């Protein structure tokens, strides 16, 4: 955790879930570290000279302010964060410059692609600000290391070559862990959800908690059925803890991604029903643990809310999962995806999800 006066401490957060929410991105270790920063510096310089594409972060921010999508105050705030990060890329060196430069590069790419919407700005500029703080004052990190900041419950993860990124699945998983820990931890759970809820962005016909970095061939913004379903589960539990219907209403607005096809959504129609994808950019990846956790989130929300759409989405996924699960059982171990055995952590994860489905459905197959 990075605390006051940039003092970093190592601690074990007991409420965080097990293995990393997403595998580490494929980043070559042979590439010189400063390359990403130099690319970002070039984009920044060309943007100031006006020789880059019609869109840039600055032009998109100006457009959003001119159309009333963001206030003049927010425009000044975001411009200030952007200018400070750009200046720091020139000042920092090595890994620090590369990682901050990568985050800037992703932000610029999202803007150039026309995806810099008002709803994405809070998460994007929080990510930029957190990376500015960490790489200016914090220690170097190991790939996959999770970090937090004093005064915040959000979970971040270091992806080498992409900076520290908001770990949506880890954060919602932490909220679930706080609920399971008991009533005394409900206030902390609600504080965490209060930070996460404003970071949802409009995606298609609904809301999604997206990821904003390059990952395993996918370009941002992308989303995950697993993280989205874990959000449903956490919001449902917040409803149980508080009896506030607003949590169920918000969860309902997060359903459309489960019925939309990739790359917008995470749903692939099959002969029996639907398969839900770990990554919206990878329709061919059949990762079973993410699929099973998606079913748990849909089921819990459907049971708590009585929502017919959620119930139908669960039923379609359940039909497909019952056909697929036996193919992931080697007789002695589990598969992560077809042809690839689980690590111990993922074996524990997937059998835990199966146990949870068994408890809910009393289905011998699970």
């Amino acid at each position: 955790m990075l605390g006051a006066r940039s003092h970093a401490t190592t601690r074990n957060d007991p409420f965080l879930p097990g293995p990393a929410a997403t595998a580490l991105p494929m980043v070559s270790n042979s590439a010189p570290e400063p390359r990403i920063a130099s690319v970002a510096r070039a984009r920044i310089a060309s943007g100031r000279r006006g020789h880059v594409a019609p869109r840039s972060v600055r032009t998109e921010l100006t457009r959003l302010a001119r159309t009333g999508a963001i206030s003049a105050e927010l425009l000044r705030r975001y411009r200030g964060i952007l200018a400070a990060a750009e200046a720091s890329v020139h000042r920092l060196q090595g890994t620090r410059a590369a990682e901050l430069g990568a985050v800037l590069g992703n932000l610029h790419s999202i803007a150039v692609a026309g995806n810099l919407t008002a709803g994405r700005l809070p998460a994007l500029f929080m990510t930029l600000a957190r990376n500015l703080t960490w790489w200016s004052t914090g220690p170097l990190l190991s790939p996959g290391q999770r970090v937090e900041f004093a005064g915040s419950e959000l979970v971040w993860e270091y992806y080498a070559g992409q900076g520290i990124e908001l770990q949506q699945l880890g954060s919602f998983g932490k909220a679930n862990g706080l609920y399971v820990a008991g009533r005394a931890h409900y206030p902390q759970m609600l504080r965490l959800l209060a930070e996460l809820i404003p970071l949802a962005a409009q995606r298609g016909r609904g809301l999604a908690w997206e990821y904003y970095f390059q990952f395993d061939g996918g370009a941002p913004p992308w989303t995950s059925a697993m993280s989205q379903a874990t959000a449903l589960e956490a919001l449902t539990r917040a409803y149980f803890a508080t009896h506030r219907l607003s949590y169920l209403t918000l969860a309902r607005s997060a359903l459309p991604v489960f019925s939309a096809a990739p790359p917008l959504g995470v749903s692939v129609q099959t002969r029996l029903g639907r398969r839900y994808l770990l990554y919206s950019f990878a329709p061919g990846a059949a990762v079973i643990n993410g699929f099973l956790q998606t079913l748990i989130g849909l089921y819990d929300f459907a049971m708590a809310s009585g929502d017919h759409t959620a119930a139908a989405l669960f039923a379609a996924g359940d039909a497909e999962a019952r056909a697929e699960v036996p193919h992931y059982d080697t007789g002695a171990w589990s598969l992560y995806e077809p042809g690839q055995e689980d690590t111990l952590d993922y074996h524990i994860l997937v059998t835990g999800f199966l146990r949870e489905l068994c408890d809910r459905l009393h289905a011998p197959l699970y």
Side-chain angles (χ1 to χ4, degrees):
M1 173 179 284
L2 193 63
R5 299 177 183 174
S6 303
H7 177 66
T9 57
T10 301
R11 69 185 183 94
N12 177 42
D13 190 328
F15 304 107
L16 277 177
T22 48
L24 295 179
M26 297 179 181
V27 178
S28 171
N29 292 326
S30 61
E33 285 181 331
R35 172 165 167 71
I36 297 176
S38 65
V39 171
R41 290 185 185 118
R43 286 176 178 165
I44 293 163
S46 63
R48 286 173 176 163
R49 291 194 301 268
H51 296 317
V52 73
R55 296 190 185 101
S56 70
V57 179
R58 285 183 172 79
T59 61
E60 291 300 279
L61 288 175
T62 300
R63 178 185 62 80
L64 290 169
R66 187 173 60 247
T67 59
I70 62 172
S71 66
E73 180 183 355
L74 279 177
L75 176 62
R76 287 191 295 272
R77 180 184 171 195
Y78 293 146
R79 280 176 169 172
I81 295 170
L82 180 63
E86 290 175 341
S88 291
V89 165
H90 291 282
R91 176 177 55 81
L92 296 171
Q93 297 182 348
T95 297
R96 297 178 185 278
E99 300 298 347
L100 180 57
V103 176
L104 271 170
N106 285 332
L107 177 60
H108 279 270
S109 295
I110 289 169
V112 169
N115 291 324
L116 197 62
T117 61
R120 289 176 174 138
L121 294 181
L124 283 166
F125 277 88
M126 178 186 289
T127 299
L128 184 56
R130 290 306 199 191
N131 275 273
L132 173 59
T133 298
W134 192 278
W135 301 115
S136 297
T137 63
L140 296 181
L141 299 168
S142 300
Q145 191 169 349
R146 292 181 177 184
V147 300
E148 298 180 8
F149 290 82
S152 170
E153 300 292 343
L154 294 173
V155 179
W156 301 78
E157 186 168 342
Y158 173 46
Y159 293 87
Q162 295 288 294
I164 59 169
E165 297 292 338
L166 182 59
Q167 186 41 272
Q168 304 282 19
L169 179 53
S171 294
F172 280 112
K174 177 180 175 179
N176 283 322
L178 289 163
Y179 177 83
V180 171
R183 188 174 299 276
H185 299 281
Y186 288 180
Q188 187 180 354
M189 173 190 70
L190 297 177
R191 288 196 300 272
L192 172 53
L193 290 177
E195 291 187 80
L196 282 164
I197 287 169
L199 303 181
Q202 191 75 29
R203 189 177 181 93
R205 295 183 295 107
L207 295 177
W209 285 270
E210 298 174 320
Y211 290 89
Y212 298 111
F213 58 100
Q214 298 176 47
F215 180 83
D216 204 13
W222 51 273
T223 191
S224 163
M226 190 178 189
S227 59
Q228 193 82 345
T230 305
L232 293 183
E233 190 176 19
L235 292 168
T236 300
R237 286 169 160 174
Y239 164 71
F240 290 146
T242 64
H243 304 291
R244 296 177 195 162
L245 288 171
S246 57
Y247 287 114
L248 295 183
T249 300
L250 178 62
R252 188 172 289 109
S253 69
L255 288 178
V257 73
F258 295 105
S259 57
L264 179 66
V266 293
S267 178
V268 173
Q269 286 197 295
T270 68
R271 182 177 60 84
L272 296 175
R274 293 177 184 266
R275 178 188 300 115
Y276 299 115
L277 302 173
L278 187 56
Y279 310 121
S280 58
F281 58 80
V287 178
I288 196 64
N289 68 66
F291 188 5
L292 297 177
Q293 168 59 7
T294 302
L295 296 182
I296 292 168
L298 287 169
Y299 179 88
D300 285 0
F301 172 67
M303 293 300 101
S305 65
D307 187 273
H308 296 298
T309 298
L313 289 168
F314 166 77
D318 180 48
E320 177 63 23
R322 291 187 191 220
E324 291 191 14
V325 162
H327 300 290
Y328 289 80
D329 181 0
T330 69
W333 205 251
S334 60
L335 299 180
Y336 178 79
E337 57 186 342
Q340 180 183 344
E341 283 195 345
D342 272 326
T343 62
L344 175 59
D345 282 344
Y346 279 108
H347 179 71
I348 293 170
L349 184 72
V350 74
T351 53
F353 289 156
L354 287 167
R355 188 177 300 111
E356 288 193 52
L357 284 169
C358 222
D359 290 344
R360 287 163 171 79
L361 303 174
H362 307 290
L365 183 140
Y366 290 134

